[in-house]
Amino acid sequence: MKALVVVAALLASAAVAPAAASAAGCSAPQGVYTGVIPWAQRQMDAPDIWPLTTGTGMVVAVVGTGVDGANAQFAPGQVLPQIDLLHGGGGAPDCDGRGTIAAGIVGAQHSGATTFAGVAPGARILPIRYTETTTGFSQNVDPAALAAAINRAVDAHAGVILVVVPATSDSPALRSSVVRATSAGDVVVSPAAANGNGTSYPTATPGVLGVGSVAQNGGLPQEDEAGTGGYIALAAPGVNLVSTSAGAAGRLGHSWPVSGAGYAAAFAAGTVALLRSYRPHLTPAQIVNRLTLTASRPPGGGRDDQLGWGVLDPYAAVTSELPADAAGPGAVPVARPPAAVPPAPAPVSTGSPYRWAAVLAVLGVLLAGMVVLGAMTVRRGRARAWRLGRLSD
């Protein structure tokens, strides 16, 4: 019932335009989202990190159904030429639409025309299409084809590899592609399986950042939207989201509400781009470790098979100072992780009333201190018979 209320609020608060005509049943925008800031963007609060880093210099490979870079919320040149591994290629760049939604969550630009924006707008997007469907979530992805897509991302020097559409079976080739990626210094991010599909790959492969979904207010998604397993490292928003739509034909266009573990993984991939840009010395294992150490812990403070070590906290992940022995290679926690040192205060944002309140509070404290100091000076001066304009002998 709560999920239905959230969906209704999203629909009521947004300006809905008729869906554009789609070619051959391909995805098309629902309209331009102009409602309240989507709950996932509020929770991730990426603008607080942008004074430090926007992910500039990072390339995020989006591995799945392709990406339609013609949506106006991508900057010119931000979406790189697509690597198309489907037989013959051609056609719409992302008929299915899931890749464009995930890419928008990673890197869509801030725009005055919408309240939606991506996590790392400074990052570039490398679309790699290895599967396509217009009938919903792919159930029988070829792990060999996925392995080939990951290898192409490594060859293209993508620092972050986001698997939007994982496989439901493993293979030696897929495991080898992950080893090759992490050995090259790439961070592989992959979602948990949903819809009762069991284990997903390469999500369950060692060295991969496995991401589960969380709903608004920290609730768990419905059973058909949730993934579960010991391989889930953390969770991120994956239900009732807003993002860029394929088929916008050079205009601004969005889809909402959309749900899926692949979109939760996109929030994590965008955060990895921010983190790698700000702390380029970290290894893939150290990045995964940092993300789990700084996540908001699930109830009880331990690990959960749906939430992993907790819900992704981008600001804490980027800014926290961890103990020296908590970020070494292979230090991904297997028991209760050590506590991270709280991050430094967020940079002041002129657009946030909370930030201005904090600034005024600090100024008030300083002013009060000056008044007290002045009063003490006057009392001491009177006690010593000081006079203005007169120097003591």
Side-chain angles (χ1 to χ4, degrees), residues 203-231:
T203 319
T205 304
V208 173
L209 178 62
V211 183
S213 294
V214 67
Q216 192 169 9
N217 299 323
L220 294 175
Q222 297 177 3
E223 186 175 351
D224 62 347
E225 297 173 334
T228 183
Y231 56 87

Side-chain angles (χ1 to χ4, degrees), residues 207-280:
V208 173
L209 178 62
V211 183
S213 294
V214 67
Q216 192 169 9
N217 299 323
L220 294 175
Q222 297 177 3
E223 186 175 351
D224 62 347
E225 297 173 334
T228 183
Y231 56 87
I232 296 177
L234 50 79
V239 181
N240 298 329
L241 309 175
V242 178
S243 190
T244 47
S245 173
R251 298 183 297 273
L252 197 64
H254 301 102
S255 293
W256 75 89
V258 294
S259 301
Y263 309 143
F267 279 105
T271 303
V272 172
L274 294 174
L275 184 53
R276 298 210 72 175
S277 178
Y278 189 66
R279 299 178 183 269

Side-chain angles (χ1 to χ4, degrees), residues 308-322:
W309 290 105
V311 178
L312 176 70
D313 186 336
Y315 184 80
V318 171
T319 63
S320 291
E321 297 304 326
L322 302 180

Side-chain angles (χ1 to χ4, degrees), residues 121-325:
R124 291 182 294 167
I125 305 296
L126 174 63
I128 301 181
R129 178 163 66 169
Y130 84 98
T131 185
E132 185 68 276
T133 177
T134 58
T135 59
F137 196 87
S138 301
Q139 301 294 332
N140 297 305
V141 169
D142 181 4
L146 178 52
I150 292 174
N151 283 325
R152 291 295 295 272
V154 176
D155 294 339
H157 306 292
V160 186
I161 301 175
L162 166 61
V163 178
V164 179
V165 184
T168 55
S169 60
D170 200 5
S171 74
L174 185 53
R175 291 193 296 272
S176 295
S177 69
V178 170
V179 171
R180 181 168 181 254
T182 55
S183 298
D186 303 332
V187 178
V188 182
V189 184
S190 187
N195 302 310
N197 288 332
T199 304
S200 61
Y201 300 92
T203 319
T205 304
V208 173
L209 178 62
V211 183
S213 294
V214 67
Q216 192 169 9
N217 299 323
L220 294 175
Q222 297 177 3
E223 186 175 351
D224 62 347
E225 297 173 334
T228 183
Y231 56 87
I232 296 177
L234 50 79
V239 181
N240 298 329
L241 309 175
V242 178
S243 190
T244 47
S245 173
R251 298 183 297 273
L252 197 64
H254 301 102
S255 293
W256 75 89
V258 294
S259 301
Y263 309 143
F267 279 105
T271 303
V272 172
L274 294 174
L275 184 53
R276 298 210 72 175
S277 178
Y278 189 66
R279 299 178 183 269
H281 61 283
L282 295 180
T283 67
Q286 289 172 328
I287 289 170
V288 173
N289 192 61
R290 173 175 279 271
L291 291 172
T292 55
L293 290 174
T294 56
S296 299
R297 292 283 171 263
R303 195 194 164 281
D304 181 272
D305 272 357
Q306 285 185 291
L307 300 178
W309 290 105
V311 178
L312 176 70
D313 186 336
Y315 184 80
V318 171
T319 63
S320 291
E321 297 304 326
L322 302 180
D325 59 352

